[in-house]
């Protein structure tokens, strides 16, 4: 039985015959675009099934179902399991049929969201939300591996930037659609709605996404271990092992992982607790707070789309200068959002515009592309896995610490809960500063292709 499951997820075998680069047809372009768009949209929908909890936190606290600390623990379970899963599934994605691998993860994540709409148990929430982290970790690596299979290194930065916009598309879709459901029907329907959207995404990927160009009859002039139909499975395994060991031995990739970890603390501080912060600290409604946070997601699309284009065309593929500029923008945006006293709608909007642009670029560069650039081509999933495990350990620690600090600084005055966010402010801003510091340590790391 186990062998049948393994066979089901193996890389698709090359089709008989095949067209070379010079014989690419409109069929090739159509299939490649369908694969790219379905992988991008599908990973955006992954985020709906991951961020649904962030919209329903305040209503859950108000109903007395869970405390802020309990919500922090529940959220951290997803991140910690996701961190381990991202490393493991990153290595597996290199060797897998990414269409089946990626769609399976989204389906399971969607079903978990549906189940959570029908339970009040803290332990059930914690276990299921942690399990959701494992299935969520099957998405990013599959998307990146798909990119490296269908696009050359000269095109990778540009299309990686477009693919990275899926993060922001998913965030915007979550903070708008799920917020509407929660405001109109309650938090349970927010979780159920996320599950329904996830199932629709699963069906879309099954219909439109494809595994490799070779499985569709195209013989590309790129050297990789799965492209040569004459290679033995033993030789393929040896090549994968060698490439993935090179990733683990590269200190620059681990430093990038640490930089990304601190960036993810600031990123998920806003994603996980931003709506709660605006409601509790500034008195916005759930819908208005979600709208303001969604602005960062929408602006993040601009950042991610143009990040690859700018670095490829203006900096010859180097990512270090734009990473520094947008890292400092991230620090400035958080300072504007957290340290300006009083309630100022347009200041909050401006802060989220800058934060979205900054995080959009940093997710693309620190969150994966800079590591993929200096990793062997057939170990892109492993490189993303190393960065991913560090990033989501950081995100998980953030959720626990934020929950504890928020509840610990809460007082009740005249029957009204009042929060002091002073410690939270400096915790989030300090993490953004440390991300910039560690990124500077790999300033001279050069992109290279090791095939």
């Amino acid at each position: 039985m186990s062998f049948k499951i393994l066979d089901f997820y193996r890389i698709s075998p090359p089709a008989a015959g095949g067209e070379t680069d010079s014989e690419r047809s409109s069929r090739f372009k159509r299939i490649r675009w369908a694969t790219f768009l379905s992988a991008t949209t599908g990973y955006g929908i992954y985020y709906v099934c991951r961020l649904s909890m962030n919209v329903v936190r305040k209503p859950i606290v108000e109903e007395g179902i869970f405390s802020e600390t309990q919500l922090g623990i529940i959220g951290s379970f997803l991140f910690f399991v996701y961190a381990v899963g991202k490393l493991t599934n990153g290595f597996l994605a290199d060797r897998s049929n990414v269409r089946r691998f990626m769609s399976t993860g989204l389906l399971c994540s969607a079903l978990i969201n549906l189940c959570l709409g029908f339970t009040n148990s803290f332990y059930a929430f914690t276990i299921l939300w942690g399990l959701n982290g494992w299935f969520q970790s099957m998405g990013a690596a599959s998307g990146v591996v798909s990119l490296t299979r269908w696009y050359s290194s000269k095109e990778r930065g540009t299309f990686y930037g477009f693919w990275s916009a899926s993060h922001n598309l998913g965030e915007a879709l979550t903070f708008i659609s799920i917020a509407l459901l929660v405001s109109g029907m309650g938090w349970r329907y927010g979780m159920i709605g996320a599950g329904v959207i996830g199932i629709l995404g699963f069906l879309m990927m099954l219909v439109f996404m494809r595994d490799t160009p070779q499985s569709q009859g195209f013989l590309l002039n790129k050297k990789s271990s799965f492209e040569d139909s004459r290679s033995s499975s033993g030789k393929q395994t040896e090549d994968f092992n060698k490439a993935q060991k090179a990733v683990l031995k590269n200190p620059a990739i681990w430093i990038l992982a640490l930089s990304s970890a601190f960036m993810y603390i600031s990123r998920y501080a806003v994603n996980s607790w931003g709506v709660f912060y605006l409601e509790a600290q500034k008195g916005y409604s759930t819908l208005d707070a979600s709208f303001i946070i969604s602005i960062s997601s929408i602006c993040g699309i601009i950042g991610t789309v143009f990040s690859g284009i700018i670095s490829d065309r203006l900096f010859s593929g180097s990512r270090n200068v734009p990473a520094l500029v947008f890292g400092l923008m991230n620090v400035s945006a958080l300072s504007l959002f957290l340290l300006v006293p009083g309630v100022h709608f347009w200041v909050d909007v401006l802060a989220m515009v800058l934060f979205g642009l900054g995080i959009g670029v940093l997710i693309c560069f620190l969150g994966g592309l800079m590591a993929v650039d200096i990793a062997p081509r057939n170990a892109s999933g492993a490189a993303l896995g190393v960065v991913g495990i560090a990033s989501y350990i950081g995100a998980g620690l953030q959720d626990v610490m934020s929950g504890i600090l928020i509840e610990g600084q809460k007082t009740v005055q005249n029957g009204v809960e009042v929060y002091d966010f002073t410690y939270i402010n400096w915790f989030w801003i300090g993490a953004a500063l440390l991300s910039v510091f560690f990124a500077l340590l790999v300033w001279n790391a050069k992109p290279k292709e090791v095939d």
Side-chain angles (χ1 to χ4, degrees):
M1 180 65 178
S2 60
F3 288 106
K4 289 183 179 180
I5 294 175
L6 290 175
D7 288 339
F8 180 76
Y9 287 103
R10 289 191 193 280
I11 297 174
S12 301
E19 301 175 57
T20 64
D21 274 342
S22 62
E23 296 171 334
R24 288 189 185 181
S25 62
S26 59
R27 175 175 167 268
F28 174 85
K29 296 177 182 178
R30 184 177 67 254
I31 293 174
R32 186 167 73 164
W33 270 112
T35 296
F36 173 75
L37 291 174
S38 57
T40 301
T41 305
Y43 193 55
I45 295 175
Y46 260 86
Y47 265 70
V48 177
C49 294
R50 185 191 310 179
L51 299 180
S52 53
M53 181 74 71
N54 301 347
V55 180
V56 304
R57 290 183 184 227
K58 197 68 166 61
I60 286 177
V61 171
E62 289 174 347
E63 290 186 23
I65 296 173
F66 302 132
S67 68
E68 294 88 344
T69 298
Q70 286 177 316
L71 286 174
I73 292 171
I74 291 169
S76 71
F77 262 66
L78 181 143
F79 289 130
F80 291 140
V81 175
Y82 186 93
V84 176
K86 196 159 188 181
L87 179 64
T88 303
N89 288 321
F91 279 72
L92 291 176
D94 285 328
R95 308 164 188 246
S96 297
N97 180 316
V98 289
R99 170 177 171 262
R100 294 174 178 175
F101 197 69
M102 189 173 184
S103 59
T104 297
L106 182 54
L107 175 62
C108 294
S109 181
L111 294 175
I112 287 173
N113 272 263
L114 286 173
C115 291
L116 290 177
F118 298 95
T119 182
N120 286 349
S121 168
F122 170 70
Y123 295 106
F125 250 88
T126 303
I127 293 171
L128 286 174
W129 200 241
L131 189 59
N132 188 33
W134 180 267
F135 294 117
Q136 282 283 322
S137 70
M138 297 169 70
S142 300
V144 171
V145 170
S146 181
L147 284 176
T148 61
R149 290 179 181 178
W150 284 91
Y151 292 93
S152 69
S153 58
K154 293 181 180 179
E155 302 169 293
R156 182 189 302 154
T158 298
F159 281 92
Y160 191 102
F162 280 104
W163 175 81
S164 291
S166 61
H167 302 74
N168 309 102
L169 287 169
E171 291 169 4
L173 179 61
T174 304
F175 289 123
I176 294 172
S177 64
I178 305 304
L180 286 171
L181 286 171
V182 172
S183 297
M185 305 174 71
W187 69 267
R188 294 187 186 280
Y189 284 93
M191 302 302 296
I192 293 170
V196 171
I197 293 172
I199 291 173
L200 294 175
F202 159 75
L203 295 174
M204 178 269 299
M205 281 194 290
L206 278 185
V207 172
F208 295 106
M209 192 173 178
R210 296 294 179 266
D211 185 24
T212 69
Q214 296 72 29
S215 67
Q216 301 302 307
F218 298 102
L219 303 178
L220 307 186
N221 292 329
K222 299 183 224 175
K223 183 181 178 184
S224 64
S225 61
F226 60 84
E227 290 174 356
D228 187 356
S229 60
R230 298 168 297 178
S231 297
S232 67
S233 60
K235 179 63 165 60
Q236 288 181 14
T237 300
E238 181 183 346
D239 290 343
F240 279 126
N241 291 341
K242 182 178 179 180
Q244 291 177 339
K245 286 179 181 178
V247 166
L248 295 175
K249 293 179 180 179
N250 191 332
I253 289 177
W254 287 100
I255 295 173
L256 282 170
L258 195 55
S259 176
S260 182
F262 285 106
M263 181 268 289
Y264 266 60
I265 289 177
S266 63
R267 176 195 176 194
Y268 274 101
V270 173
N271 276 355
S272 297
W273 293 98
V275 173
F276 188 103
Y277 176 87
L278 289 174
E279 291 172 318
Q281 177 73 359
K282 302 191 177 185
Y284 289 102
S285 67
T286 298
L287 195 57
D288 288 341
S290 296
F291 169 75
I292 292 173
I293 299 301
S294 74
I295 291 171
S296 69
S297 304
I298 294 169
C299 291
I301 296 172
I302 300 173
T304 53
V305 166
F306 284 97
S307 61
I309 296 173
I310 291 171
S311 64
D312 280 350
R313 297 185 180 181
L314 299 184
F315 298 96
S316 301
S318 177
R319 327 292 179 189
N320 48 21
V321 175
L324 173 61
V325 171
F326 286 96
L328 293 174
M329 180 184 288
N330 181 36
V331 175
S332 301
L334 281 173
S335 300
L336 188 64
F337 185 66
L338 299 171
L339 301 183
V340 174
V343 179
H344 306 283
F345 177 81
W346 291 110
V347 171
D348 293 329
V349 168
L350 175 61
M352 287 298 96
V353 169
L354 297 176
F355 181 79
L357 291 172
I359 285 292
V361 174
L362 296 176
I363 288 173
C364 184
F365 289 172
L366 298 180
L369 184 55
M370 291 174 72
V372 170
D373 279 340
I374 58 177
R377 182 180 188 80
N378 55 343
S380 56
L384 198 69
V386 169
V387 173
I389 190 171
S391 299
Y392 283 94
I393 286 175
L397 290 173
Q398 172 278 135
D399 229 358
V400 174
M401 288 298 300
S402 293
I404 291 173
L405 289 173
I406 289 172
E407 186 175 12
Q409 298 300 308
K410 179 176 70 174
T411 58
V412 179
Q413 299 178 7
N414 299 322
V416 178
E417 293 179 341
V418 178
Y419 294 86
D420 182 354
F421 286 93
T422 302
Y423 293 142
I424 282 290
N425 295 346
W426 292 111
F427 173 43
W428 294 353
I429 293 171
L433 283 168
L434 285 172
S435 175
V436 175
F437 170 75
F438 284 106
L440 289 174
L441 295 182
V442 290
W443 184 268
N444 293 321
K446 301 295 183 182
K448 59 184 179 180
E449 195 69 50
V450 183
D451 289 317

